[in-house]
């Protein structure tokens, strides 16, 4: 059942505009996690006014790992706030949030970096080459104007979408959450195998018929059986240390450096 809303449309608009602050708290521990909590802070403070314990709990829940494009962030924050106002379970909100961040990051990056930036850079380059300041000003105003409009529009879209479907889909939220979790795991798995680069230069000499010898690369054998196996195994080790041993980010970074140096010196990995 929908609870009485403490947030107004202006609160959603303000939260959408705070997407500009997303990168302010960037770090390699939780990426944009701190920035996300900062973006949500005024709305959460109003929502939990007079209950500091719930506010603190909500902020802690949102400091976890997060990474998406700032221009499309308002779609996620608006959905997030609507679900909070409708007392959706924290696990379901988290699943939706994590499932959306990957696809929206790809869409937003493509829009800003590979569509708008080249387009307006080309338009602004001609007057700039002629010594006219109008070139860079045009680029600056066009880029930021369009991205501002995208933030506001996606924020309102998320708000309207959330208010329209939360009630009708409340009984199916568990299924939606499960689907979102699977999408989120798929995205994280894709990031792991593409951004974790580990190979082995080990080789051995195999005797072939006719007294011929062939150099066999261990990495080629691994790729033939299970491509990207080494990055997956290392990611699994890191996950185990975080989940079971509760290691901090600093311990993991130090361990990664030590393993990298030792195994590289032994020429076991490249």
């Amino acid at each position: 059942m929908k609870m009485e809303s403490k947030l107004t449309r202006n609160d959603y608009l303000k939260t959408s505009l705070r997407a500009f602050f997303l990168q302010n708290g960037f770090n390699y521990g939780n990426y944009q996690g701190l920035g996300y909590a900062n973006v949500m802070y005024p709305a959460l403070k109003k929502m939990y006014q007079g209950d500091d314990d719930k506010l603190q709990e909500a902020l802690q829940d949102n400091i976890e790992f997060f990474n998406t494009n700032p221009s499309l962030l308002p779609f996620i924050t608006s959905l997030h706030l609507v679900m909070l106002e409708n007392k959706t379970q924290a696990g379901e909100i988290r699943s939706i949030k994590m499932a959306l961040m990957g696809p929206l990051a790809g869409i937003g990056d493509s829009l800003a970096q590979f569509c708008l930036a080249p387009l307006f850079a080309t338009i602004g380059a001609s007057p700039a080459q002629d010594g006219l300041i109008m070139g860079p000003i045009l680029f600056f105003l066009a880029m930021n104007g369009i991205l501002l409009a995208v933030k506001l529009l996606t924020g309102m879209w998320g708000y309207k979408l959330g208010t329209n479907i939360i009630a009708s889909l409340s009984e199916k939220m568990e299924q939606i959450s499960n689907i979102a979790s699977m999408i989120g795991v798929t995205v994280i798995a894709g990031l792991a195998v593409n951004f974790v680069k580990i190979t082995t230069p080990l080789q051995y000499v195999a005797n072939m018929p006719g007294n011929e010898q062939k150099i066999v690369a261990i990495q080629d054998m691994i790729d033939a059986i299970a491509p990207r196996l080494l990055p997956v195994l290392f990611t699994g080790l890191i996950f185990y240390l975080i989940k079971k041993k509760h290691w901090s980010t600093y311990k993991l970074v130090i361990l990664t450096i030590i393993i990298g140096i030792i195994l590289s010196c032994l020429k076991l990995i490249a």
Side-chain angles (χ1 to χ4, degrees):
M1 182 176 295
K2 190 177 186 305
M3 63 180 289
E4 182 181 355
S5 176
K6 290 185 177 180
L7 300 181
T8 65
R9 182 182 293 266
N10 286 336
D11 293 317
Y12 281 88
L13 285 173
K14 290 177 182 177
T15 303
S16 297
L17 291 174
R18 288 180 64 85
F20 285 105
F21 301 149
L22 180 64
Q23 296 283 67
N24 286 11
F26 185 91
N27 62 79
Y28 286 103
N30 53 13
Y31 274 57
Q32 298 168 342
L34 187 60
Y36 188 91
N38 181 37
V39 169
M40 297 281 286
Y41 176 69
L44 293 175
K45 185 178 180 180
K46 183 175 181 179
M47 186 178 297
Y48 298 116
Q49 189 173 8
D51 194 336
D52 292 340
D53 290 337
K54 284 189 176 181
L55 174 60
Q56 182 178 1
E57 182 181 353
L59 290 172
Q60 288 178 342
D61 288 342
N62 288 297
I63 295 178
E64 63 181 352
F65 173 86
F66 188 80
N67 188 34
T68 196
N69 183 274
S71 298
L72 298 184
L73 174 70
F75 182 78
I76 299 176
T77 56
S78 293
L79 272 178
H80 190 158
L81 291 173
V82 170
M83 295 176 77
L84 280 178
E85 288 199 286
N86 285 271
K87 295 186 177 180
T88 305
Q89 294 183 6
E92 296 174 355
I93 296 176
R94 182 178 182 274
S95 296
I96 299 296
K97 171 185 168 184
M98 292 300 167
L100 287 174
M101 73 174 185
L104 291 184
I107 295 172
D109 290 347
S110 298
L111 174 65
Q113 299 175 20
F114 304 113
C115 180
L116 297 180
L119 173 62
F120 292 114
T122 302
I123 295 173
S126 179
Q129 286 182 328
D130 294 333
L132 299 176
I133 196 173
M134 179 181 67
I137 291 178
L138 174 64
F139 175 82
F140 179 82
L141 292 179
M143 279 288 296
N144 286 279
I146 292 178
L147 293 180
L148 173 61
V150 169
K151 286 182 175 66
L152 296 176
L153 290 174
T154 54
M156 286 299 97
W157 183 29
Y159 169 73
K160 291 180 180 179
L161 181 65
T163 53
N164 289 335
I165 70 172
I166 288 295
S168 60
L169 296 182
S170 58
E171 70 278 2
K172 299 181 180 179
M173 191 57 67
E174 184 176 355
Q175 297 177 7
I176 296 173
S177 177
N178 290 335
I179 294 172
S181 296
M182 288 188 287
I183 296 174
V185 170
T186 302
V187 171
I188 296 300
L191 290 174
V193 299
N194 282 288
F195 285 91
V196 180
K197 307 292 185 183
I198 304 177
T199 58
T200 178
L202 291 178
Q203 299 176 338
Y204 71 93
V205 178
N207 294 319
M208 306 296 292
N211 294 325
E212 294 183 2
Q213 293 184 331
K214 179 181 179 181
I215 298 178
V216 179
I218 299 296
Q219 185 62 51
D220 292 340
M221 295 178 59
I222 294 176
D223 290 339
I225 299 171
R228 307 295 182 95
L229 178 61
L230 296 181
V232 170
L233 292 176
F234 183 74
T235 303
L237 171 63
I238 296 299
F239 177 79
Y240 170 79
L241 294 175
I242 294 174
K243 191 73 174 179
K244 300 297 183 181
K245 300 299 182 179
H246 306 291
W247 276 37
S248 67
T249 304
Y250 301 104
K251 287 184 179 180
L252 295 172
V253 170
I254 293 173
L255 176 67
T256 301
I257 293 173
I258 292 175
I259 290 177
I261 292 175
I262 292 177
L263 295 184
S264 295
C265 291
L266 295 175
K267 297 183 178 181
L268 296 178
I269 64 172

